[in-house]
PDB file of all heavy atoms in Angstrom:
ATOM      1  N   HIS A   1      44.850 106.062 123.245  1.00 96.00           N
ATOM      2  CA  HIS A   1      44.618 105.880 124.682  1.00 96.00           C
ATOM      3  C   HIS A   1      44.630 104.411 125.085  1.00 96.00           C
ATOM      4  O   HIS A   1      44.646 104.100 126.278  1.00 96.00           O
ATOM      5  CB  HIS A   1      43.259 106.510 125.028  1.00 96.00           C
ATOM      6  CG  HIS A   1      43.029 106.745 126.488  1.00 96.00           C
ATOM      7  ND1 HIS A   1      43.822 107.578 127.253  1.00 96.00           N
ATOM      8  CD2 HIS A   1      42.091 106.247 127.336  1.00 96.00           C
ATOM      9  CE1 HIS A   1      43.363 107.599 128.486  1.00 96.00           C
ATOM     10  NE2 HIS A   1      42.322 106.789 128.577  1.00 96.00           N
ATOM     11  N   GLN A   2      44.634 103.528 124.109  1.00 95.00           N
ATOM     12  CA  GLN A   2      44.457 102.112 124.427  1.00 95.00           C
ATOM     13  C   GLN A   2      45.682 101.487 125.089  1.00 95.00           C
ATOM     14  O   GLN A   2      45.584 100.399 125.661  1.00 95.00           O
ATOM     15  CB  GLN A   2      44.081 101.346 123.156  1.00 95.00           C
ATOM     16  CG  GLN A   2      42.682 101.680 122.662  1.00 95.00           C
ATOM     17  CD  GLN A   2      42.289 100.918 121.417  1.00 95.00           C
ATOM     18  OE1 GLN A   2      42.982 100.006 120.982  1.00 95.00           O
ATOM     19  NE2 GLN A   2      41.161 101.299 120.811  1.00 95.00           N
ATOM     20  N   ALA A   3      46.817 102.138 125.044  1.00 94.00           N
ATOM     21  CA  ALA A   3      48.039 101.583 125.647  1.00 94.00           C
ATOM     22  C   ALA A   3      48.092 101.766 127.158  1.00 94.00           C
ATOM     23  O   ALA A   3      48.986 101.200 127.809  1.00 94.00           O
ATOM     24  CB  ALA A   3      49.273 102.238 125.016  1.00 94.00           C
ATOM     25  N   TYR A   4      47.139 102.508 127.746  1.00 96.00           N
ATOM     26  CA  TYR A   4      47.308 102.946 129.128  1.00 96.00           C
ATOM     27  C   TYR A   4      46.438 102.195 130.145  1.00 96.00           C
ATOM     28  O   TYR A   4      46.435 102.550 131.321  1.00 96.00           O
ATOM     29  CB  TYR A   4      47.047 104.455 129.217  1.00 96.00           C
ATOM     30  CG  TYR A   4      48.003 105.246 128.340  1.00 96.00           C
ATOM     31  CD1 TYR A   4      47.558 105.874 127.189  1.00 96.00           C
ATOM     32  CD2 TYR A   4      49.357 105.317 128.658  1.00 96.00           C
ATOM     33  CE1 TYR A   4      48.427 106.578 126.370  1.00 96.00           C
ATOM     34  CE2 TYR A   4      50.238 106.020 127.846  1.00 96.00           C
ATOM     35  CZ  TYR A   4      49.770 106.640 126.712  1.00 96.00           C
ATOM     36  OH  TYR A   4      50.650 107.322 125.897  1.00 96.00           O
ATOM     37  N   ASP A   5      45.736 101.184 129.728  1.00 95.00           N
ATOM     38  CA  ASP A   5      44.941 100.361 130.642  1.00 95.00           C
ATOM     39  C   ASP A   5      44.042 101.212 131.540  1.00 95.00           C
ATOM     40  O   ASP A   5      44.033 101.081 132.769  1.00 95.00           O
ATOM     41  CB  ASP A   5      45.850  99.461 131.490  1.00 95.00           C
ATOM     42  CG  ASP A   5      45.063  98.365 132.207  1.00 95.00           C
ATOM     43  OD1 ASP A   5      43.983  97.981 131.697  1.00 95.00           O
ATOM     44  OD2 ASP A   5      45.521  97.899 133.265  1.00 95.00           O
ATOM     45  N   ALA A   6      43.277 102.093 130.920  1.00 96.00           N
ATOM     46  CA  ALA A   6      42.297 102.911 131.659  1.00 96.00           C
ATOM     47  C   ALA A   6      41.245 102.005 132.289  1.00 96.00           C
ATOM     48  O   ALA A   6      41.085 100.839 131.908  1.00 96.00           O
ATOM     49  CB  ALA A   6      41.651 103.905 130.698  1.00 96.00           C
ATOM     50  N   PRO A   7      40.514 102.507 133.287  1.00 96.00           N
ATOM     51  CA  PRO A   7      39.583 101.638 134.026  1.00 96.00           C
ATOM     52  C   PRO A   7      38.607 100.849 133.160  1.00 96.00           C
ATOM     53  O   PRO A   7      38.287  99.701 133.480  1.00 96.00           O
ATOM     54  CB  PRO A   7      38.854 102.625 134.946  1.00 96.00           C
ATOM     55  CG  PRO A   7      39.871 103.678 135.214  1.00 96.00           C
ATOM     56  CD  PRO A   7      40.622 103.833 133.928  1.00 96.00           C
ATOM     57  N   LEU A   8      38.122 101.418 132.073  1.00 96.00           N
ATOM     58  CA  LEU A   8      37.160 100.698 131.239  1.00 96.00           C
ATOM     59  C   LEU A   8      37.824  99.958 130.079  1.00 96.00           C
ATOM     60  O   LEU A   8      37.136  99.486 129.172  1.00 96.00           O
ATOM     61  CB  LEU A   8      36.102 101.667 130.696  1.00 96.00           C
ATOM     62  CG  LEU A   8      34.902 101.904 131.623  1.00 96.00           C
ATOM     63  CD1 LEU A   8      34.044 103.055 131.120  1.00 96.00           C
ATOM     64  CD2 LEU A   8      34.057 100.645 131.773  1.00 96.00           C
ATOM     65  N   SER A   9      39.133  99.824 130.116  1.00 96.00           N
ATOM     66  CA  SER A   9      39.828  99.084 129.068  1.00 96.00           C
ATOM     67  C   SER A   9      39.552  97.593 129.190  1.00 96.00           C
ATOM     68  O   SER A   9      39.612  97.017 130.280  1.00 96.00           O
ATOM     69  CB  SER A   9      41.335  99.323 129.151  1.00 96.00           C
ATOM     70  OG  SER A   9      41.656 100.659 128.872  1.00 96.00           O
ATOM     71  N   ALA A  10      39.251  96.978 128.071  1.00 97.00           N
ATOM     72  CA  ALA A  10      39.071  95.526 127.991  1.00 97.00           C
ATOM     73  C   ALA A  10      39.061  95.156 126.516  1.00 97.00           C
ATOM     74  O   ALA A  10      39.034  96.028 125.636  1.00 97.00           O
ATOM     75  CB  ALA A  10      37.788  95.077 128.682  1.00 97.00           C
ATOM     76  N   ASP A  11      39.074  93.882 126.243  1.00 97.00           N
ATOM     77  CA  ASP A  11      39.145  93.381 124.881  1.00 97.00           C
ATOM     78  C   ASP A  11      37.744  93.331 124.277  1.00 97.00           C
ATOM     79  O   ASP A  11      36.997  92.368 124.484  1.00 97.00           O
ATOM     80  CB  ASP A  11      39.781  91.998 124.879  1.00 97.00           C
ATOM     81  CG  ASP A  11      40.140  91.506 123.485  1.00 97.00           C
ATOM     82  OD1 ASP A  11      39.529  91.988 122.515  1.00 97.00           O
ATOM     83  OD2 ASP A  11      41.014  90.629 123.378  1.00 97.00           O
ATOM     84  N   VAL A  12      37.374  94.386 123.550  1.00 97.00           N
ATOM     85  CA  VAL A  12      36.032  94.451 122.977  1.00 97.00           C
ATOM     86  C   VAL A  12      35.828  93.324 121.966  1.00 97.00           C
ATOM     87  O   VAL A  12      34.767  92.699 121.918  1.00 97.00           O
ATOM     88  CB  VAL A  12      35.785  95.818 122.303  1.00 97.00           C
ATOM     89  CG1 VAL A  12      34.341  95.907 121.797  1.00 97.00           C
ATOM     90  CG2 VAL A  12      36.064  96.957 123.270  1.00 97.00           C
ATOM     91  N   GLU A  13      36.848  93.058 121.173  1.00 97.00           N
ATOM     92  CA  GLU A  13      36.715  92.014 120.156  1.00 97.00           C
ATOM     93  C   GLU A  13      36.438  90.661 120.795  1.00 97.00           C
ATOM     94  O   GLU A  13      35.581  89.904 120.322  1.00 97.00           O
ATOM     95  CB  GLU A  13      37.978  91.944 119.309  1.00 97.00           C
ATOM     96  CG  GLU A  13      37.883  90.929 118.183  1.00 97.00           C
ATOM     97  CD  GLU A  13      39.113  90.920 117.305  1.00 97.00           C
ATOM     98  OE1 GLU A  13      40.099  91.605 117.648  1.00 97.00           O
ATOM     99  OE2 GLU A  13      39.097  90.233 116.267  1.00 97.00           O
ATOM    100  N   ALA A  14      37.135  90.344 121.882  1.00 97.00           N
ATOM    101  CA  ALA A  14      36.909  89.068 122.560  1.00 97.00           C
ATOM    102  C   ALA A  14      35.495  88.999 123.138  1.00 97.00           C
ATOM    103  O   ALA A  14      34.871  87.926 123.143  1.00 97.00           O
ATOM    104  CB  ALA A  14      37.943  88.873 123.665  1.00 97.00           C
ATOM    105  N   ALA A  15      34.984  90.133 123.613  1.00 97.00           N
ATOM    106  CA  ALA A  15      33.616  90.153 124.139  1.00 97.00           C
ATOM    107  C   ALA A  15      32.591  89.959 123.033  1.00 97.00           C
ATOM    108  O   ALA A  15      31.524  89.366 123.248  1.00 97.00           O
ATOM    109  CB  ALA A  15      33.357  91.474 124.863  1.00 97.00           C
ATOM    110  N   ALA A  16      32.904  90.443 121.839  1.00 98.00           N
ATOM    111  CA  ALA A  16      31.943  90.401 120.731  1.00 98.00           C
ATOM    112  C   ALA A  16      31.945  89.082 119.980  1.00 98.00           C
ATOM    113  O   ALA A  16      30.901  88.652 119.472  1.00 98.00           O
ATOM    114  CB  ALA A  16      32.238  91.545 119.755  1.00 98.00           C
ATOM    115  N   LEU A  17      33.076  88.422 119.879  1.00 98.00           N
ATOM    116  CA  LEU A  17      33.212  87.276 118.979  1.00 98.00           C
ATOM    117  C   LEU A  17      32.198  86.150 119.218  1.00 98.00           C
ATOM    118  O   LEU A  17      31.631  85.623 118.250  1.00 98.00           O
ATOM    119  CB  LEU A  17      34.640  86.725 119.057  1.00 98.00           C
ATOM    120  CG  LEU A  17      35.682  87.464 118.215  1.00 98.00           C
ATOM    121  CD1 LEU A  17      37.090  86.992 118.573  1.00 98.00           C
ATOM    122  CD2 LEU A  17      35.414  87.249 116.727  1.00 98.00           C
ATOM    123  N   PRO A  18      31.927  85.730 120.469  1.00 98.00           N
ATOM    124  CA  PRO A  18      30.992  84.606 120.630  1.00 98.00           C
ATOM    125  C   PRO A  18      29.570  84.921 120.170  1.00 98.00           C
ATOM    126  O   PRO A  18      28.789  83.995 119.911  1.00 98.00           O
ATOM    127  CB  PRO A  18      31.025  84.331 122.138  1.00 98.00           C
ATOM    128  CG  PRO A  18      32.277  84.967 122.626  1.00 98.00           C
ATOM    129  CD  PRO A  18      32.486  86.157 121.753  1.00 98.00           C
ATOM    130  N   PHE A  19      29.230  86.196 120.069  1.00 98.00           N
ATOM    131  CA  PHE A  19      27.848  86.588 119.780  1.00 98.00           C
ATOM    132  C   PHE A  19      27.725  87.344 118.454  1.00 98.00           C
ATOM    133  O   PHE A  19      26.728  88.020 118.215  1.00 98.00           O
ATOM    134  CB  PHE A  19      27.310  87.443 120.937  1.00 98.00           C
ATOM    135  CG  PHE A  19      27.511  86.783 122.269  1.00 98.00           C
ATOM    136  CD1 PHE A  19      28.527  87.190 123.113  1.00 98.00           C
ATOM    137  CD2 PHE A  19      26.721  85.715 122.652  1.00 98.00           C
ATOM    138  CE1 PHE A  19      28.736  86.565 124.333  1.00 98.00           C
ATOM    139  CE2 PHE A  19      26.916  85.076 123.862  1.00 98.00           C
ATOM    140  CZ  PHE A  19      27.928  85.501 124.712  1.00 98.00           C
ATOM    141  N   SER A  20      28.730  87.222 117.612  1.00 98.00           N
ATOM    142  CA  SER A  20      28.749  87.941 116.337  1.00 98.00           C
ATOM    143  C   SER A  20      29.200  86.998 115.230  1.00 98.00           C
ATOM    144  O   SER A  20      30.010  86.090 115.455  1.00 98.00           O
ATOM    145  CB  SER A  20      29.696  89.145 116.397  1.00 98.00           C
ATOM    146  OG  SER A  20      29.396  90.016 117.464  1.00 98.00           O
ATOM    147  N   ASP A  21      28.687  87.239 114.030  1.00 98.00           N
ATOM    148  CA  ASP A  21      29.151  86.529 112.848  1.00 98.00           C
ATOM    149  C   ASP A  21      30.245  87.305 112.114  1.00 98.00           C
ATOM    150  O   ASP A  21      30.979  86.739 111.310  1.00 98.00           O
ATOM    151  CB  ASP A  21      27.982  86.306 111.884  1.00 98.00           C
ATOM    152  CG  ASP A  21      26.859  85.507 112.517  1.00 98.00           C
ATOM    153  OD1 ASP A  21      27.050  84.302 112.738  1.00 98.00           O
ATOM    154  OD2 ASP A  21      25.787  86.094 112.807  1.00 98.00           O
ATOM    155  N   PHE A  22      30.320  88.609 112.385  1.00 98.00           N
ATOM    156  CA  PHE A  22      31.292  89.500 111.733  1.00 98.00           C
ATOM    157  C   PHE A  22      31.766  90.477 112.802  1.00 98.00           C
ATOM    158  O   PHE A  22      30.939  91.095 113.492  1.00 98.00           O
ATOM    159  CB  PHE A  22      30.609  90.239 110.581  1.00 98.00           C
ATOM    160  CG  PHE A  22      31.411  91.356 109.959  1.00 98.00           C
ATOM    161  CD1 PHE A  22      32.057  91.177 108.749  1.00 98.00           C
ATOM    162  CD2 PHE A  22      31.511  92.610 110.576  1.00 98.00           C
ATOM    163  CE1 PHE A  22      32.785  92.210 108.159  1.00 98.00           C
ATOM    164  CE2 PHE A  22      32.235  93.645 110.004  1.00 98.00           C
ATOM    165  CZ  PHE A  22      32.873  93.434 108.785  1.00 98.00           C
ATOM    166  N   VAL A  23      33.079  90.608 112.971  1.00 98.00           N
ATOM    167  CA  VAL A  23      33.652  91.578 113.917  1.00 98.00           C
ATOM    168  C   VAL A  23      34.799  92.300 113.232  1.00 98.00           C
ATOM    169  O   VAL A  23      35.661  91.658 112.616  1.00 98.00           O
ATOM    170  CB  VAL A  23      34.161  90.896 115.205  1.00 98.00           C
ATOM    171  CG1 VAL A  23      34.780  91.943 116.144  1.00 98.00           C
ATOM    172  CG2 VAL A  23      33.045  90.154 115.918  1.00 98.00           C
ATOM    173  N   ARG A  24      34.803  93.613 113.328  1.00 98.00           N
ATOM    174  CA  ARG A  24      35.909  94.404 112.781  1.00 98.00           C
ATOM    175  C   ARG A  24      36.123  95.633 113.652  1.00 98.00           C
ATOM    176  O   ARG A  24      35.150  96.246 114.121  1.00 98.00           O
ATOM    177  CB  ARG A  24      35.624  94.828 111.349  1.00 98.00           C
ATOM    178  CG  ARG A  24      36.731  95.692 110.724  1.00 98.00           C
ATOM    179  CD  ARG A  24      36.452  96.023 109.267  1.00 98.00           C
ATOM    180  NE  ARG A  24      36.463  94.802 108.447  1.00 98.00           N
ATOM    181  CZ  ARG A  24      36.176  94.784 107.150  1.00 98.00           C
ATOM    182  NH1 ARG A  24      35.848  95.917 106.531  1.00 98.00           N
ATOM    183  NH2 ARG A  24      36.217  93.660 106.477  1.00 98.00           N
TER     184      ARG A  24
END
């Protein structure tokens, strides 16, 4: 579903990186 730019689509990894030591 990630290819379709649904209303709640956003870059989760980018949101997490500044506040995480490990992201996967």
Side-chain angles (χ1 to χ4, degrees):
H1 196 61
Q2 290 181 9
Y4 300 109
D5 194 26
L8 274 170
S9 294
D11 191 337
V12 184
E13 183 177 7
L17 278 170
F19 309 103
S20 305
D21 301 289
F22 170 102
V23 179
R24 179 176 295 176

